[in-house]
Amino acid sequence: MCGITGMVHMEQDLRKQETLLRQMQTTLNRRGPDQEGIFLEEHCALAHTRLAVIDVEHGRQPMETTVSGETYTIVYNGELYNTPELRGQLEREGVQFQTHCDTEVILQSYANWGPRCVEQFNGIFAFAIWEHHAQRLFLARDRIGVKPLFYAEIPGGLVFGSEIKALLKHPDVPHEIDKTGISELLLMGPGRTPGYGVFRTVREVKPAHCGYYMQGTLHLHPYWELHAAVHTESFSQTAEHVRELVTDAVRRQLVSDVPIGTFLSGGLDSSLLSSLACRELHSRGEELHTFSVDYRDNDRYFQKSHFQPTSDPTYIRCMERYLGSQHHWTVLDTPALAEALSAAVEARDLPGMVDVDSSLLLFCREIRQEVTVALSGECADELFGGYPWYRDPDVRRVNGFPWAQSTAYRSQFLRPEFAAEIDAQQYVQDAYERTIASAEKLPDDSPLEARMREMMKMNLDWFMQTLLDRKDRMSMYSALEVRVPFCDYRIAEYLYNVPWEYKDWNGYEKGLLRTAMQDALPPEVLWRKKSPYPKTHNPSYLAAVSHMLEEVVRDPQSPVLQLVRKDMLGHLLESEESVQWYGQLMTRPQIMAYFVQMNDWMLRYQVKIV
């Protein structure tokens, strides 16, 4: 796990720009504090910061190899989970390896098999490979989009990096937003349209895309997508298939030369991963470390809701007893949570999921004191259909993104000059229609099955990307590598074609997953109703963010007032109206915090509106 950055400029000697390259590299030091390296050639410069996890001694980057007269240099961020199989295949073809790390496997795969090697990879990755003689740069990102890769085309060249902050160090990448960027912030945020980086010239390599920058032109194309196919297995066969896939994904992702643990919320997904990890580590004679977060006085202020019917600690303690793990609690209080909103902006380079981000950032900082790698349960709900918008027929039929039904409310915050230029409803509707049109279907799909394919595509392309952004940036801010076994592309491929009747077996959310793994959990956790990521219920948080927003509104120099109507921020402070801004976790306190973050972001990055 690492940070990568670099640039290609066909008209300049980049060896003269080593200082600039090192400045870009420095922005990513948090992602990789263990080692760093650079590569400089006439037209290409690459930089790397490393968090050493596999083959700590020999896995330094940039890494280079020469095959059939061509020399290749790689910078790589990620983890390859089928390294042994690919390494064996390459060795049978005559490749001799110098290290045990997956970086060399990716490099040799590309050097020997070409760009289609990415179709062989099972992992989370973003990497760049420079071909010295061909003078071209190859970029690739993993299928699901777990690892980030941003880029900007500049006059005569290209700049790329793991995080936007690395690109912004380059003088040819302007700190500007235009009408599209404003739409992304106010209408889509904290989500982003796939491929967009909000800043005017910043883009992101989309998940499952790769391609070349050569002779001043960038060509990216998809190398994987979900295909519709007839599902022929019975429910029992399907459950067994799911069991094998999930178990194998966890087993593969426990490979590490450094300490490893799991997030444990007491919900189905994290508890299941913890149970499978505990079994695997126990077979090796190792002990599992588990980690949970809670908030001061949450037991006092918790109020159950449709989205959050039960609190977590009771179930966490149940799992702690069941696993016999070495368990660690982190308890967060309001002052730290509010203060960390600014650090969360620095980590994400954008306004984000506010306290949902800042709490995770603080939690990961504590986890990093004990382990370097942790497994987390993200993305099971997107794939197995666990969210309310999958299961509630009325919500399911809604025309639009089910987690973002607040466009009319959001658009009221736009200053009049921007509201006149931006058709808010159309901007969001166009994005929605593009997404559902890209969901491949079968002619014989029932209306329900066709809609479920659309729902899964929406969740994979949008909601899940927001959560993966959050997990990567908040964890790597403290150099904690977080792996997400449910994001194994084989699980996504398989579940795209599993009928809804199976996923919702016996009318129970994620009934298929629960049935498939029923011997891995105590019954009270196995059948616990879904509860989202834990957030604070302490009224002191509302008081804290209200005070922070009041300070923003009082200051006429607050940059967010260039975008947002001051009177609407005042209304937000005074009214008790609670609108769901983005899913069930962002309501009135989080909306306030979002504008606080937006103001902090504009100050921090000196954002200009064009």
Side-chain angles (χ1 to χ4, degrees):
M1 285 300 158
C2 314
I4 65 172
T5 189
M7 46 189 166
V8 176
H9 206 305
M10 305 313 294
E11 300 171 1
Q12 294 184 13
D13 185 346
L14 284 182
R15 284 174 294 191
K16 297 178 182 178
Q17 299 199 39
E18 181 177 349
T19 300
L20 173 58
L21 179 68
R22 291 196 180 277
Q23 289 173 349
M24 294 164 62
Q25 180 187 48
T26 298
T27 68
L28 302 174
N29 279 349
R30 283 184 169 273
R31 295 186 70 91
D34 296 335
Q35 298 165 358
E36 61 180 39
I38 64 169
F39 163 82
L40 288 165
E41 200 194 55
E42 185 176 0
H43 297 304
C44 179
L46 306 175
H48 187 262
T49 63
R50 185 184 183 209
L51 175 63
V53 173
I54 302 292
D55 198 355
V56 175
E57 180 63 28
H58 301 105
R60 294 179 180 273
Q61 296 184 45
M63 186 177 288
E64 187 174 294
T65 193
T66 299
V67 175
S68 301
E70 177 61 275
T71 300
Y72 307 87
T73 301
I74 186 173
V75 284
Y76 156 63
N77 166 34
E79 211 65 67
L80 195 60
Y81 301 130
N82 61 338
T83 295
E85 294 95 325
L86 295 175
R87 184 185 181 95
Q89 188 175 343
L90 287 162
E91 286 177 335
R92 288 190 293 274
E93 294 178 15
V95 175
Q96 294 184 336
F97 286 89
Q98 306 303 311
T99 74
H100 296 290
C101 67
D102 54 348
T103 305
E104 189 178 10
V105 171
I106 286 183
L107 180 59
Q108 290 291 353
S109 296
Y110 180 83
N112 287 273
W113 299 335
R116 296 196 65 178
C117 67
V118 292
E119 299 171 19
Q120 304 288 321
F121 297 160
N122 179 351
I124 54 178
F125 56 81
F127 65 87
I129 295 178
W130 176 248
E131 298 182 37
H132 295 214
H133 299 297
Q135 293 283 286
R136 63 181 183 177
L137 184 76
F138 181 72
L139 297 173
R141 191 170 176 216
D142 67 76
R143 290 172 176 85
I144 303 296
V146 178
K147 289 289 109 182
L149 185 55
F150 295 93
Y151 67 91
E153 295 187 74
I154 59 176
L158 181 84
V159 183
F160 70 89
S162 296
E163 296 179 7
I164 294 172
K165 58 175 63 70
L167 277 61
L168 294 176
K169 276 295 181 182
H170 197 287
D172 289 333
V173 180
H175 297 216
E176 297 172 351
I177 56 172
D178 56 14
K179 183 170 66 174
T180 301
I182 295 169
S183 300
E184 291 292 306
L185 288 169
L186 269 297
L187 305 179
M188 298 299 194
R192 286 186 289 114
T193 298
Y196 283 36
V198 179
F199 289 93
R200 184 171 62 83
T201 64
V202 174
R203 298 291 181 267
E204 187 173 24
V205 176
K206 293 179 185 178
H209 278 63
C210 66
Y212 286 106
Y213 181 79
M214 185 179 182
Q215 296 180 342
T217 304
L218 177 65
H219 291 289
L220 296 172
H221 66 273
Y223 64 86
W224 177 83
E225 55 191 340
L226 293 172
H227 291 297
V230 175
H231 188 74
T232 59
E233 296 178 341
S234 67
F235 176 77
S236 60
Q237 290 171 325
T238 302
E240 182 58 31
H241 200 148
V242 165
R243 181 183 180 85
E244 291 171 358
L245 285 171
V246 172
T247 302
D248 186 61
V250 173
R251 179 184 59 79
R252 288 178 180 274
Q253 297 191 27
L254 286 171
V255 175
S256 174
D257 292 338
V258 293
I260 193 165
T262 62
F263 287 72
L264 180 60
S265 71
L268 173 68
D269 309 326
S270 67
S271 297
L272 175 57
L273 295 186
S274 296
S275 179
L276 295 175
C278 192
R279 290 180 181 181
E280 177 67 22
L281 292 180
H282 182 74
S283 70
R284 305 181 197 168
E286 300 174 27
E287 183 181 38
L288 176 68
H289 287 255
T290 50
F291 300 87
S292 300
V293 66
D294 198 8
Y295 302 88
R296 190 168 303 282
D297 293 331
N298 245 20
D299 54 344
R300 178 180 173 189
Y301 294 109
F302 176 79
Q303 292 183 341
K304 69 178 182 179
S305 67
H306 175 68
F307 293 115
Q308 198 152 14
T310 54
S311 188
D312 291 330
T314 299
Y315 298 91
I316 293 170
R317 294 186 185 99
C318 173
M319 284 303 300
E320 182 184 353
R321 292 190 298 271
Y322 180 79
L323 297 172
S325 60
Q326 181 69 38
H327 191 65
H328 309 265
W329 280 94
T330 294
V331 179
L332 303 177
D333 202 358
T334 293
L337 202 60
E339 183 181 344
L341 288 170
S342 181
V345 170
E346 180 186 2
R348 198 190 269 260
D349 295 324
L350 291 167
M353 297 184 78
V354 292
D355 54 282
V356 183
D357 278 5
S358 64
S359 62
L360 182 62
L361 183 144
L362 295 172
F363 185 26
C364 288
R365 184 179 69 187
E366 296 304 309
I367 294 173
R368 185 61 174 87
Q369 304 304 310
E370 303 292 337
V371 299
T372 307
V373 179
L375 271 57
S376 183
E378 266 82 4
C379 307
D381 287 303
E382 286 84 353
L383 300 179
F384 286 91
Y387 289 124
W389 50 72
Y390 274 101
R391 307 188 67 251
D392 185 324
D394 293 331
V395 177
R396 200 161 60 210
R397 284 192 291 267
V398 166
N399 179 23
F401 297 116
W403 54 83
Q405 290 293 304
S406 56
T407 304
Y409 175 74
R410 286 167 171 255
S411 64
Q412 294 177 59
F413 286 89
L414 285 165
R415 285 178 60 96
E417 60 267 35
F418 300 124
E421 291 185 25
I422 296 169
D423 187 334
Q425 294 288 353
Q426 198 61 51
Y427 189 87
V428 177
Q429 186 68 18
D430 286 349
Y432 165 74
E433 291 180 358
R434 285 195 305 270
T435 306
I436 63 172
S438 68
E440 188 174 302
K441 301 164 190 170
L442 295 176
D444 294 335
D445 279 346
S446 68
L448 174 61
E449 293 302 337
R451 182 57 172 165
M452 285 306 180
R453 293 192 196 275
E454 293 174 352
M455 293 291 288
M456 187 167 168
K457 193 69 166 65
M458 279 193 284
N459 277 270
L460 281 168
D461 288 358
W462 288 86
F463 197 76
M464 195 162 96
Q465 294 306 313
T466 308
L467 298 183
L468 291 174
D469 269 3
R470 163 180 168 259
K471 184 66 71 160
D472 175 82
R473 300 319 179 275
M474 300 308 126
S475 60
M476 294 303 287
Y477 191 77
S478 294
L480 174 70
E481 176 188 327
V482 176
R483 300 174 181 175
V484 277
F486 286 114
C487 281
D488 189 307
Y489 77 93
R490 300 170 300 166
I491 298 176
E493 280 182 341
Y494 183 68
L495 287 173
Y496 189 66
N497 294 303
V498 170
W500 177 245
E501 177 190 4
Y502 287 4
K503 291 182 183 177
D504 199 47
W505 191 247
N506 288 332
Y508 213 95
E509 61 192 20
K510 292 187 284 192
L512 170 60
L513 180 61
R514 295 176 196 268
T515 303
M517 310 305 300
Q518 57 190 321
D519 69 336
L521 293 172
E524 56 268 45
V525 175
L526 179 69
W527 299 107
R528 182 192 178 192
K529 185 173 173 57
K530 175 179 167 51
S531 189
Y533 178 82
K535 70 175 184 178
T536 182
H537 296 273
N538 194 323
S540 65
Y541 179 71
L542 173 59
V545 295
S546 296
H547 177 71
M548 295 168 80
L549 185 58
E550 285 169 356
E551 289 189 332
V552 170
V553 172
R554 276 200 302 265
D555 183 358
Q557 301 303 312
S558 293
V560 74
L561 299 179
Q562 301 171 37
L563 290 177
V564 176
R565 287 170 50 187
K566 184 176 180 178
D567 62 321
M568 277 300 295
L569 295 180
H571 176 73
L572 177 61
L573 284 164
E574 295 166 7
S575 169
E576 293 188 6
E577 178 186 19
S578 188
V579 176
Q580 287 186 13
W581 184 269
Y582 194 83
Q584 63 264 41
L585 290 177
M586 290 186 68
T587 53
R588 183 169 168 250
Q590 287 74 35
I591 297 170
M592 291 183 187
Y594 187 71
F595 287 114
V596 170
Q597 279 197 329
M598 193 180 300
N599 190 69
D600 180 85
W601 171 72
M602 294 184 74
L603 278 170
R604 181 183 297 274
Y605 293 94
Q606 295 295 291
V607 178
K608 295 182 175 61
I609 303 169
V610 296

